[in-house]
Amino acid sequence: MVRRAGWVLPVAIVLVALNLRGPIVAPAPVIGDIRLDLGLTTTVAGLLTTIPVLCFALATPLASWVIAKATPERALSLSLLIVLAGTVVRSLPSAAALLIGTAVIGIGITIGNVVIPVVIRRDTSPERVGIVTGVYTSALNVGSMTTSLGTAPIASVWGWPAAIAVWGVLAVVAGLAWSYAVGPRAAWLRPVAGAPVEPLPVTGPIDQVLGTGAIRLPDTASAGSAPSRRPTRWVTIGLTLAFGGQAFSYYALTAWIPTLLHDDIGFSKASSGASSSVFQILAVVGALGVPVLAARWRPRAILSLVAFLWLAMPLGLLFAPQLWLLWSILGGAAQGGGITVIFIIIVRLVSNDDDARRMSAFVQGGGYLIGSAGPLVAGALHGATGDWTAPLLVVLVAVLVLGVIGTLAARRVP
């Protein structure tokens, strides 16, 4: 591996993260135009967000196989290449290309989802995993915010195909940065047989950038290190359901907030996309705030706070949609904190990398499988009822699952 300046690797990870959620939300601000041009129903339109999330659950074995056959560096390069190819295919003006391209994007993002935590865990000292995870999660939401904010204005000038294709530029930029960070040979070429692949040291470039003041997580308890043991099995199932509630709520709202604001408040398409970006960017507050709270609070208390803030989003949009900005701020911070606190709980429960991978795969695989239904269910309910009451009530139930079951699962986590 080619060594670079300490700031290059974290910057590359942030640029990669911009591509691991942004492509999913890109169609949402222009979904009305897409439906009109291609004659899609609300249920089929919901698949544009459902398919990638379903891939997160179903394509995880493929992602693990890719990483096993290649190095993490090459796997991440392949992830970006697949996302770029899917973005190009999805921009073709046909329903088949739209759905196929979306599935390709989902597979590429799945590989990135799996490999980035491997890189973070390998190249970051254990006491800094929490804060680095927060930075990574923040970058995911910055990518979502960027595409939510920019897609509709671009579509108004060049049309929706160009507006969702242009984000492929981010994959190109991330690929170049990643190649520079790890070296072109490590990023793209198969290692020579028998030649060792040099990892970065445990206290590597990410630590150099974050400095020595990062937050230290408590040591994990050995009693919780094996997901197959009886107490941890139920904790794992509980965390899976909690993660599913988080993912269901996030992707349902991400897919349909622009349309909801257009229908209930009368925003233009461009204004709806810009308004929904608030929900995405405020996740940075939650993603970075949770590691700070984790140094002082138990995860159970953090999950309760996250769920309380999350509830404001569906309840507020139901009873006072004109205050959408307040609800988006509270819900946005909560959704960024929700995924981060669950990842931190996993870190605290396990004591080695193998257990962490198994538990993370189970929780994310099952949780994303539940979450993939969010856009589809919300779209179908809206199509059947003609308003947004039923979809928001379903989101409310999913948030309660996150809060109640997640808090119970985390009650013995240090």
Side-chain angles (χ1 to χ4, degrees), residues 256-401:
W256 294 110
I257 279 180
T259 307
L260 185 153
L261 294 177
H262 173 74
D263 292 348
D264 286 0
I265 303 181
F267 283 175
S268 67
K269 282 178 259 188
S271 297
S272 294
S275 302
S276 65
S277 68
V278 175
F279 177 66
Q280 304 296 340
I281 193 58
L282 260 294
V284 174
V285 175
L288 294 179
V290 161
V292 175
L293 291 177
R296 300 168 178 82
W297 293 16
R298 294 174 66 88
R300 182 179 184 180
I302 298 173
L303 261 175
S304 298
L305 175 62
V306 165
F308 178 77
L309 295 177
W310 237 128
L311 285 172
M313 188 74 174
L315 287 174
L317 291 175
L318 274 172
F319 296 107
Q322 70 276 10
L323 298 178
W324 62 268
L325 179 59
L326 175 60
W327 314 136
S328 296
I329 290 172
L330 296 176
Q335 59 100 348
I339 187 171
T340 306
V341 71
I342 291 175
F343 285 155
I344 289 177
I345 289 171
I346 292 173
V347 171
R348 293 189 177 188
L349 279 173
V350 300
S351 57
N352 59 69
D353 288 351
D354 288 339
D355 287 346
R357 282 192 293 270
R358 285 194 291 267
M359 177 172 277
S360 180
F362 189 93
V363 171
Q364 290 194 63
Y368 279 129
L369 186 62
I370 297 170
S372 66
L376 193 63
V377 170
L381 288 173
H382 175 63
T385 62
D387 62 28
W388 292 102
T389 300
L392 289 173
L393 287 175
V394 172
V395 170
L396 178 65
V397 172
V399 173
L400 289 173
V401 170

Side-chain angles (χ1 to χ4, degrees), residues 123-362:
D123 299 342
T124 310
S125 55
E127 64 269 19
R128 297 181 175 95
V129 168
I131 191 64
V132 174
T133 300
V135 171
Y136 165 61
T137 307
S138 298
L140 295 176
N141 288 281
V142 170
S144 299
M145 180 276 296
T146 302
T147 53
S148 294
L149 192 62
T151 300
I154 295 172
S156 67
V157 178
W158 292 325
W160 68 261
I164 62 175
V166 73
W167 302 113
V169 173
L170 291 178
V172 175
V173 172
L176 293 173
W178 182 246
S179 296
Y180 181 75
V182 302
R185 179 175 295 275
W188 298 103
L189 300 180
R190 182 182 295 276
V192 178
V197 177
E198 181 187 7
L200 291 172
V202 174
T203 53
I206 294 177
D207 289 353
Q208 295 171 21
V209 173
L210 291 177
T212 58
I215 298 160
R216 180 177 182 86
L217 298 179
D219 293 334
T220 53
S222 59
S225 62
S228 60
R229 296 181 184 178
R230 184 177 181 85
T232 308
R233 180 186 305 135
W234 294 112
V235 170
T236 305
I237 293 172
L239 289 177
T240 301
L241 293 175
F243 194 95
Q246 158 80 21
F248 186 102
S249 305
Y250 171 75
Y251 287 108
L253 289 175
T254 293
W256 294 110
I257 279 180
T259 307
L260 185 153
L261 294 177
H262 173 74
D263 292 348
D264 286 0
I265 303 181
F267 283 175
S268 67
K269 282 178 259 188
S271 297
S272 294
S275 302
S276 65
S277 68
V278 175
F279 177 66
Q280 304 296 340
I281 193 58
L282 260 294
V284 174
V285 175
L288 294 179
V290 161
V292 175
L293 291 177
R296 300 168 178 82
W297 293 16
R298 294 174 66 88
R300 182 179 184 180
I302 298 173
L303 261 175
S304 298
L305 175 62
V306 165
F308 178 77
L309 295 177
W310 237 128
L311 285 172
M313 188 74 174
L315 287 174
L317 291 175
L318 274 172
F319 296 107
Q322 70 276 10
L323 298 178
W324 62 268
L325 179 59
L326 175 60
W327 314 136
S328 296
I329 290 172
L330 296 176
Q335 59 100 348
I339 187 171
T340 306
V341 71
I342 291 175
F343 285 155
I344 289 177
I345 289 171
I346 292 173
V347 171
R348 293 189 177 188
L349 279 173
V350 300
S351 57
N352 59 69
D353 288 351
D354 288 339
D355 287 346
R357 282 192 293 270
R358 285 194 291 267
M359 177 172 277
S360 180
F362 189 93

